[in-house]
Amino acid sequence: MKKACLIIFSALLTMSSAHAATYYKWVDDNGLTHYSATPPEGRPSVQIERGSSRSPSGITPSIPSANEPNEAAARTEDKLEAEGFEQNLAAAEETRKKNCDTARENKVQLTLKNRIKLLQDDGTYRVLSDEEKQQKVRQADEAIDTYCN
């Protein structure tokens, strides 16, 4: 159990969080639509508020529409992309919640247990020193701040 908790904790520290309130939609040179938490540099983008399938009022996409066959097809494509974005956002939120729960459980294990064994690459175990244990507790606190707030 301890081994699994430490492995999961280590994996959590390397994961990034998709827990942002504002996202950006933009199109690259090949015509592919992208979504990101940060606006692209030197490229037009549309700001999307979390939980909204439309851009905020007053913001209109500045993506050229010369290649689109008609407005109805463009709206349908945008709607499908927005639905895909919402599904991806829901999946990211579920992952964030699981990461939060795991980070909290790891902190509990680190603070309650006196000896924490860590699996080495060669298959042997070693006990974490007090310094290493305190470092892991700080990392758990950082993971909790990242995933739970």
Side-chain angles (χ1 to χ4, degrees):
M1 176 67 181
K2 293 177 190 176
K3 176 180 131 182
C5 286
L6 285 175
I7 291 172
I8 291 171
F9 177 74
S10 298
L12 284 176
L13 293 176
T14 61
M15 292 180 179
S16 64
S17 174
H19 184 65
T22 302
Y23 296 90
Y24 299 88
K25 174 183 169 185
W26 53 279
V27 178
D28 66 13
D29 293 333
N30 296 325
L32 296 174
T33 302
H34 298 269
Y35 295 92
S36 64
T38 57
E41 292 184 21
R43 191 171 295 286
S45 64
V46 176
Q47 184 177 358
I48 301 172
E49 296 298 322
R50 182 176 179 174
S52 171
S53 62
R54 296 183 188 164
S55 62
S57 61
I59 299 178
T60 57
S62 58
I63 301 167
S65 60
N67 296 332
E68 297 178 26
N70 60 42
E71 286 294 319
R75 283 191 297 262
T76 302
E77 182 178 321
D78 286 345
K79 184 176 179 182
L80 290 173
E81 288 176 2
E83 288 172 0
F85 175 75
E86 288 296 324
Q87 290 172 350
N88 289 340
L89 185 60
E93 183 64 21
E94 180 67 25
T95 301
R96 186 204 58 80
K97 185 182 180 324
K98 287 179 184 178
N99 291 345
C100 173
D101 293 342
T102 302
R104 286 183 173 159
E105 179 62 28
N106 286 341
K107 182 167 183 189
V108 168
Q109 293 297 322
L110 287 164
T111 54
L112 292 180
K113 307 293 182 182
N114 289 332
R115 295 178 53 183
I116 304 291
K117 292 182 181 178
L118 185 65
L119 179 63
Q120 301 293 302
D121 291 335
D122 63 0
T124 61
Y125 291 92
R126 72 173 178 86
V127 177
L128 290 179
S129 69
D130 287 338
E131 282 182 13
E132 291 173 316
K133 188 175 172 183
Q134 289 305 315
Q135 180 183 6
K136 295 288 186 188
V137 169
R138 284 190 299 272
Q139 289 173 338
D141 286 335
E142 290 173 9
I144 289 169
D145 287 342
T146 300
Y147 297 114
C148 301
N149 296 330

